[in-house]
PDB file of all heavy atoms in Angstrom:
ATOM      1  N   ASP A 354     -19.554  -2.245  24.108  1.00 97.00           N
ATOM      2  CA  ASP A 354     -20.193  -1.554  25.225  1.00 97.00           C
ATOM      3  C   ASP A 354     -21.715  -1.505  25.064  1.00 97.00           C
ATOM      4  O   ASP A 354     -22.449  -1.550  26.052  1.00 97.00           O
ATOM      5  CB  ASP A 354     -19.612  -0.148  25.365  1.00 97.00           C
ATOM      6  CG  ASP A 354     -18.149  -0.181  25.814  1.00 97.00           C
ATOM      7  OD1 ASP A 354     -17.668  -1.281  26.156  1.00 97.00           O
ATOM      8  OD2 ASP A 354     -17.504   0.880  25.810  1.00 97.00           O
ATOM      9  N   ILE A 355     -22.191  -1.410  23.840  1.00 97.00           N
ATOM     10  CA  ILE A 355     -23.639  -1.435  23.609  1.00 97.00           C
ATOM     11  C   ILE A 355     -24.208  -2.803  23.982  1.00 97.00           C
ATOM     12  O   ILE A 355     -25.275  -2.910  24.587  1.00 97.00           O
ATOM     13  CB  ILE A 355     -23.946  -1.092  22.136  1.00 97.00           C
ATOM     14  CG1 ILE A 355     -23.630   0.390  21.861  1.00 97.00           C
ATOM     15  CG2 ILE A 355     -25.410  -1.397  21.798  1.00 97.00           C
ATOM     16  CD1 ILE A 355     -23.634   0.760  20.397  1.00 97.00           C
ATOM     17  N   LYS A 356     -23.460  -3.858  23.634  1.00 97.00           N
ATOM     18  CA  LYS A 356     -23.921  -5.218  23.916  1.00 97.00           C
ATOM     19  C   LYS A 356     -23.670  -5.633  25.365  1.00 97.00           C
ATOM     20  O   LYS A 356     -24.227  -6.626  25.828  1.00 97.00           O
ATOM     21  CB  LYS A 356     -23.241  -6.201  22.965  1.00 97.00           C
ATOM     22  CG  LYS A 356     -23.678  -6.039  21.513  1.00 97.00           C
ATOM     23  CD  LYS A 356     -23.125  -7.129  20.608  1.00 97.00           C
ATOM     24  CE  LYS A 356     -21.619  -7.071  20.462  1.00 97.00           C
ATOM     25  NZ  LYS A 356     -21.127  -8.086  19.502  1.00 97.00           N
ATOM     26  N   GLY A 357     -22.787  -4.886  26.082  1.00 97.00           N
ATOM     27  CA  GLY A 357     -22.516  -5.195  27.481  1.00 97.00           C
ATOM     28  C   GLY A 357     -21.567  -6.360  27.691  1.00 97.00           C
ATOM     29  O   GLY A 357     -21.564  -6.986  28.755  1.00 97.00           O
ATOM     30  N   THR A 358     -20.709  -6.646  26.694  1.00 97.00           N
ATOM     31  CA  THR A 358     -19.714  -7.719  26.855  1.00 97.00           C
ATOM     32  C   THR A 358     -18.418  -7.135  27.400  1.00 97.00           C
ATOM     33  O   THR A 358     -18.279  -5.919  27.560  1.00 97.00           O
ATOM     34  CB  THR A 358     -19.479  -8.437  25.518  1.00 97.00           C
ATOM     35  OG1 THR A 358     -19.146  -7.454  24.506  1.00 97.00           O
ATOM     36  CG2 THR A 358     -20.740  -9.167  25.076  1.00 97.00           C
ATOM     37  N   LYS A 359     -17.436  -7.994  27.672  1.00 96.00           N
ATOM     38  CA  LYS A 359     -16.251  -7.537  28.424  1.00 96.00           C
ATOM     39  C   LYS A 359     -14.923  -7.795  27.712  1.00 96.00           C
ATOM     40  O   LYS A 359     -13.872  -7.672  28.340  1.00 96.00           O
ATOM     41  CB  LYS A 359     -16.216  -8.234  29.799  1.00 96.00           C
ATOM     42  CG  LYS A 359     -17.436  -7.966  30.674  1.00 96.00           C
ATOM     43  CD  LYS A 359     -17.520  -6.501  31.065  1.00 96.00           C
ATOM     44  CE  LYS A 359     -18.699  -6.243  32.003  1.00 96.00           C
ATOM     45  NZ  LYS A 359     -18.831  -4.800  32.329  1.00 96.00           N
ATOM     46  N   GLU A 360     -14.936  -8.154  26.453  1.00 97.00           N
ATOM     47  CA  GLU A 360     -13.684  -8.496  25.791  1.00 97.00           C
ATOM     48  C   GLU A 360     -12.775  -7.276  25.624  1.00 97.00           C
ATOM     49  O   GLU A 360     -13.236  -6.136  25.592  1.00 97.00           O
ATOM     50  CB  GLU A 360     -13.948  -9.138  24.427  1.00 97.00           C
ATOM     51  CG  GLU A 360     -14.542  -8.204  23.379  1.00 97.00           C
ATOM     52  CD  GLU A 360     -16.064  -8.202  23.397  1.00 97.00           C
ATOM     53  OE1 GLU A 360     -16.681  -8.678  24.381  1.00 97.00           O
ATOM     54  OE2 GLU A 360     -16.657  -7.692  22.415  1.00 97.00           O
ATOM     55  N   HIS A 361     -11.480  -7.561  25.498  1.00 98.00           N
ATOM     56  CA  HIS A 361     -10.502  -6.511  25.222  1.00 98.00           C
ATOM     57  C   HIS A 361     -10.382  -6.301  23.711  1.00 98.00           C
ATOM     58  O   HIS A 361     -10.518  -7.247  22.925  1.00 98.00           O
ATOM     59  CB  HIS A 361      -9.131  -6.886  25.785  1.00 98.00           C
ATOM     60  CG  HIS A 361      -9.095  -6.981  27.279  1.00 98.00           C
ATOM     61  ND1 HIS A 361      -9.053  -5.875  28.097  1.00 98.00           N
ATOM     62  CD2 HIS A 361      -9.113  -8.062  28.104  1.00 98.00           C
ATOM     63  CE1 HIS A 361      -9.033  -6.254  29.366  1.00 98.00           C
ATOM     64  NE2 HIS A 361      -9.068  -7.583  29.399  1.00 98.00           N
ATOM     65  N   VAL A 362     -10.143  -5.060  23.317  1.00 98.00           N
ATOM     66  CA  VAL A 362      -9.906  -4.729  21.915  1.00 98.00           C
ATOM     67  C   VAL A 362      -8.512  -4.117  21.831  1.00 98.00           C
ATOM     68  O   VAL A 362      -8.225  -3.116  22.504  1.00 98.00           O
ATOM     69  CB  VAL A 362     -10.973  -3.751  21.373  1.00 98.00           C
ATOM     70  CG1 VAL A 362     -10.674  -3.383  19.935  1.00 98.00           C
ATOM     71  CG2 VAL A 362     -12.359  -4.372  21.492  1.00 98.00           C
ATOM     72  N   ILE A 363      -7.644  -4.733  21.014  1.00 98.00           N
ATOM     73  CA  ILE A 363      -6.230  -4.364  21.014  1.00 98.00           C
ATOM     74  C   ILE A 363      -5.744  -4.096  19.589  1.00 98.00           C
ATOM     75  O   ILE A 363      -5.350  -5.030  18.867  1.00 98.00           O
ATOM     76  CB  ILE A 363      -5.354  -5.481  21.650  1.00 98.00           C
ATOM     77  CG1 ILE A 363      -5.932  -5.931  22.991  1.00 98.00           C
ATOM     78  CG2 ILE A 363      -3.914  -5.014  21.801  1.00 98.00           C
ATOM     79  CD1 ILE A 363      -6.660  -7.257  22.908  1.00 98.00           C
ATOM     80  N   PRO A 364      -5.771  -2.870  19.117  1.00 97.00           N
ATOM     81  CA  PRO A 364      -5.161  -2.557  17.823  1.00 97.00           C
ATOM     82  C   PRO A 364      -3.642  -2.458  17.966  1.00 97.00           C
ATOM     83  O   PRO A 364      -3.144  -1.915  18.959  1.00 97.00           O
ATOM     84  CB  PRO A 364      -5.769  -1.201  17.456  1.00 97.00           C
ATOM     85  CG  PRO A 364      -6.135  -0.580  18.766  1.00 97.00           C
ATOM     86  CD  PRO A 364      -6.463  -1.707  19.702  1.00 97.00           C
ATOM     87  N   ILE A 365      -2.922  -3.004  16.985  1.00 97.00           N
ATOM     88  CA  ILE A 365      -1.455  -2.923  16.974  1.00 97.00           C
ATOM     89  C   ILE A 365      -1.072  -2.061  15.785  1.00 97.00           C
ATOM     90  O   ILE A 365      -1.289  -2.437  14.624  1.00 97.00           O
ATOM     91  CB  ILE A 365      -0.810  -4.319  16.857  1.00 97.00           C
ATOM     92  CG1 ILE A 365      -1.284  -5.229  18.000  1.00 97.00           C
ATOM     93  CG2 ILE A 365       0.711  -4.196  16.868  1.00 97.00           C
ATOM     94  CD1 ILE A 365      -2.354  -6.211  17.601  1.00 97.00           C
ATOM     95  N   ILE A 366      -0.515  -0.897  16.050  1.00 95.00           N
ATOM     96  CA  ILE A 366      -0.231   0.077  14.991  1.00 95.00           C
ATOM     97  C   ILE A 366       1.228   0.501  15.049  1.00 95.00           C
ATOM     98  O   ILE A 366       1.794   0.689  16.129  1.00 95.00           O
ATOM     99  CB  ILE A 366      -1.166   1.302  15.108  1.00 95.00           C
ATOM    100  CG1 ILE A 366      -0.983   2.273  13.926  1.00 95.00           C
ATOM    101  CG2 ILE A 366      -0.986   2.021  16.448  1.00 95.00           C
ATOM    102  CD1 ILE A 366      -2.070   3.328  13.837  1.00 95.00           C
ATOM    103  N   GLY A 367       1.849   0.627  13.897  1.00 91.00           N
ATOM    104  CA  GLY A 367       3.245   1.033  13.832  1.00 91.00           C
ATOM    105  C   GLY A 367       3.413   2.533  13.948  1.00 91.00           C
ATOM    106  O   GLY A 367       2.468   3.303  13.758  1.00 91.00           O
ATOM    107  N   ASP A 368       4.648   2.951  14.236  1.00 86.00           N
ATOM    108  CA  ASP A 368       4.910   4.386  14.361  1.00 86.00           C
ATOM    109  C   ASP A 368       4.739   5.102  13.029  1.00 86.00           C
ATOM    110  O   ASP A 368       4.371   6.280  12.993  1.00 86.00           O
ATOM    111  CB  ASP A 368       6.312   4.637  14.933  1.00 86.00           C
ATOM    112  CG  ASP A 368       7.408   3.870  14.211  1.00 86.00           C
ATOM    113  OD1 ASP A 368       7.216   2.675  13.881  1.00 86.00           O
ATOM    114  OD2 ASP A 368       8.474   4.445  13.975  1.00 86.00           O
ATOM    115  N   GLY A 369       4.959   4.399  11.918  1.00 85.00           N
ATOM    116  CA  GLY A 369       4.715   5.013  10.610  1.00 85.00           C
ATOM    117  C   GLY A 369       3.232   5.210  10.359  1.00 85.00           C
ATOM    118  O   GLY A 369       2.795   6.290   9.972  1.00 85.00           O
ATOM    119  N   ALA A 370       2.447   4.162  10.610  1.00 89.00           N
ATOM    120  CA  ALA A 370       1.004   4.243  10.383  1.00 89.00           C
ATOM    121  C   ALA A 370       0.346   5.252  11.309  1.00 89.00           C
ATOM    122  O   ALA A 370      -0.691   5.833  10.980  1.00 89.00           O
ATOM    123  CB  ALA A 370       0.368   2.866  10.569  1.00 89.00           C
ATOM    124  N   LEU A 371       0.938   5.478  12.480  1.00 87.00           N
ATOM    125  CA  LEU A 371       0.356   6.418  13.431  1.00 87.00           C
ATOM    126  C   LEU A 371       0.385   7.852  12.911  1.00 87.00           C
ATOM    127  O   LEU A 371      -0.389   8.699  13.357  1.00 87.00           O
ATOM    128  CB  LEU A 371       1.100   6.343  14.770  1.00 87.00           C
ATOM    129  CG  LEU A 371       0.427   7.029  15.958  1.00 87.00           C
ATOM    130  CD1 LEU A 371      -0.868   6.321  16.316  1.00 87.00           C
ATOM    131  CD2 LEU A 371       1.357   7.061  17.167  1.00 87.00           C
ATOM    132  N   THR A 372       1.243   8.125  11.937  1.00 82.00           N
ATOM    133  CA  THR A 372       1.314   9.477  11.382  1.00 82.00           C
ATOM    134  C   THR A 372       0.204   9.729  10.361  1.00 82.00           C
ATOM    135  O   THR A 372       0.026  10.861   9.917  1.00 82.00           O
ATOM    136  CB  THR A 372       2.675   9.734  10.701  1.00 82.00           C
ATOM    137  OG1 THR A 372       2.807   8.868   9.569  1.00 82.00           O
ATOM    138  CG2 THR A 372       3.818   9.485  11.659  1.00 82.00           C
ATOM    139  N   GLY A 373      -0.519   8.680   9.949  1.00 87.00           N
ATOM    140  CA  GLY A 373      -1.600   8.854   8.987  1.00 87.00           C
ATOM    141  C   GLY A 373      -2.734   9.662   9.579  1.00 87.00           C
ATOM    142  O   GLY A 373      -3.071   9.526  10.762  1.00 87.00           O
ATOM    143  N   GLY A 374      -3.345  10.491   8.776  1.00 88.00           N
ATOM    144  CA  GLY A 374      -4.407  11.373   9.261  1.00 88.00           C
ATOM    145  C   GLY A 374      -5.561  10.624   9.896  1.00 88.00           C
ATOM    146  O   GLY A 374      -6.127  11.054  10.903  1.00 88.00           O
ATOM    147  N   MET A 375      -5.938   9.484   9.336  1.00 92.00           N
ATOM    148  CA  MET A 375      -7.053   8.710   9.875  1.00 92.00           C
ATOM    149  C   MET A 375      -6.735   8.224  11.290  1.00 92.00           C
ATOM    150  O   MET A 375      -7.608   8.209  12.164  1.00 92.00           O
ATOM    151  CB  MET A 375      -7.336   7.530   8.956  1.00 92.00           C
ATOM    152  CG  MET A 375      -8.596   6.763   9.262  1.00 92.00           C
ATOM    153  SD  MET A 375      -8.894   5.546   7.959  1.00 92.00           S
ATOM    154  CE  MET A 375     -10.273   4.667   8.673  1.00 92.00           C
ATOM    155  N   ALA A 376      -5.481   7.814  11.524  1.00 92.00           N
ATOM    156  CA  ALA A 376      -5.090   7.357  12.855  1.00 92.00           C
ATOM    157  C   ALA A 376      -5.157   8.502  13.864  1.00 92.00           C
ATOM    158  O   ALA A 376      -5.587   8.315  15.015  1.00 92.00           O
ATOM    159  CB  ALA A 376      -3.673   6.777  12.817  1.00 92.00           C
ATOM    160  N   LEU A 377      -4.743   9.695  13.449  1.00 91.00           N
ATOM    161  CA  LEU A 377      -4.785  10.840  14.363  1.00 91.00           C
ATOM    162  C   LEU A 377      -6.228  11.244  14.663  1.00 91.00           C
ATOM    163  O   LEU A 377      -6.549  11.625  15.794  1.00 91.00           O
ATOM    164  CB  LEU A 377      -4.009  12.010  13.751  1.00 91.00           C
ATOM    165  CG  LEU A 377      -2.511  11.761  13.530  1.00 91.00           C
ATOM    166  CD1 LEU A 377      -1.867  12.957  12.849  1.00 91.00           C
ATOM    167  CD2 LEU A 377      -1.808  11.466  14.847  1.00 91.00           C
ATOM    168  N   GLU A 378      -7.103  11.143  13.665  1.00 94.00           N
ATOM    169  CA  GLU A 378      -8.524  11.409  13.908  1.00 94.00           C
ATOM    170  C   GLU A 378      -9.076  10.426  14.939  1.00 94.00           C
ATOM    171  O   GLU A 378      -9.838  10.803  15.839  1.00 94.00           O
ATOM    172  CB  GLU A 378      -9.306  11.287  12.597  1.00 94.00           C
ATOM    173  CG  GLU A 378      -9.002  12.377  11.582  1.00 94.00           C
ATOM    174  CD  GLU A 378      -9.655  12.100  10.231  1.00 94.00           C
ATOM    175  OE1 GLU A 378     -10.587  11.282  10.188  1.00 94.00           O
ATOM    176  OE2 GLU A 378      -9.230  12.691   9.226  1.00 94.00           O
ATOM    177  N   ALA A 379      -8.687   9.153  14.804  1.00 95.00           N
ATOM    178  CA  ALA A 379      -9.172   8.124  15.726  1.00 95.00           C
ATOM    179  C   ALA A 379      -8.623   8.349  17.132  1.00 95.00           C
ATOM    180  O   ALA A 379      -9.358   8.209  18.119  1.00 95.00           O
ATOM    181  CB  ALA A 379      -8.784   6.744  15.213  1.00 95.00           C
ATOM    182  N   LEU A 380      -7.343   8.694  17.260  1.00 94.00           N
ATOM    183  CA  LEU A 380      -6.767   8.977  18.578  1.00 94.00           C
ATOM    184  C   LEU A 380      -7.547  10.078  19.279  1.00 94.00           C
ATOM    185  O   LEU A 380      -7.842   9.990  20.479  1.00 94.00           O
ATOM    186  CB  LEU A 380      -5.293   9.411  18.435  1.00 94.00           C
ATOM    187  CG  LEU A 380      -4.236   8.329  18.252  1.00 94.00           C
ATOM    188  CD1 LEU A 380      -2.874   8.991  18.089  1.00 94.00           C
ATOM    189  CD2 LEU A 380      -4.211   7.359  19.426  1.00 94.00           C
ATOM    190  N   ASN A 381      -7.874  11.108  18.532  1.00 94.00           N
ATOM    191  CA  ASN A 381      -8.611  12.236  19.097  1.00 94.00           C
ATOM    192  C   ASN A 381      -9.973  11.786  19.632  1.00 94.00           C
ATOM    193  O   ASN A 381     -10.379  12.160  20.735  1.00 94.00           O
ATOM    194  CB  ASN A 381      -8.781  13.309  18.011  1.00 94.00           C
ATOM    195  CG  ASN A 381      -9.503  14.535  18.511  1.00 94.00           C
ATOM    196  OD1 ASN A 381      -9.097  15.145  19.497  1.00 94.00           O
ATOM    197  ND2 ASN A 381     -10.587  14.897  17.836  1.00 94.00           N
ATOM    198  N   HIS A 382     -10.660  10.943  18.858  1.00 96.00           N
ATOM    199  CA  HIS A 382     -11.993  10.487  19.267  1.00 96.00           C
ATOM    200  C   HIS A 382     -11.928   9.504  20.431  1.00 96.00           C
ATOM    201  O   HIS A 382     -12.707   9.592  21.379  1.00 96.00           O
ATOM    202  CB  HIS A 382     -12.704   9.845  18.077  1.00 96.00           C
ATOM    203  CG  HIS A 382     -14.113   9.465  18.364  1.00 96.00           C
ATOM    204  ND1 HIS A 382     -14.680   8.296  17.927  1.00 96.00           N
ATOM    205  CD2 HIS A 382     -15.090  10.100  19.078  1.00 96.00           C
ATOM    206  CE1 HIS A 382     -15.930   8.219  18.345  1.00 96.00           C
ATOM    207  NE2 HIS A 382     -16.206   9.299  19.034  1.00 96.00           N
TER     208      HIS A 382
END
Side-chain angles (χ1 to χ4, degrees):
D354 292 352
I355 290 168
K356 292 187 294 184
T358 53
K359 300 295 183 183
E360 68 270 15
H361 295 283
V362 178
I363 311 103
I365 303 101
I366 186 168
D368 50 318
L371 193 66
T372 65
M375 189 173 173
L377 297 177
E378 292 172 18
L380 280 178
N381 181 55
H382 185 221

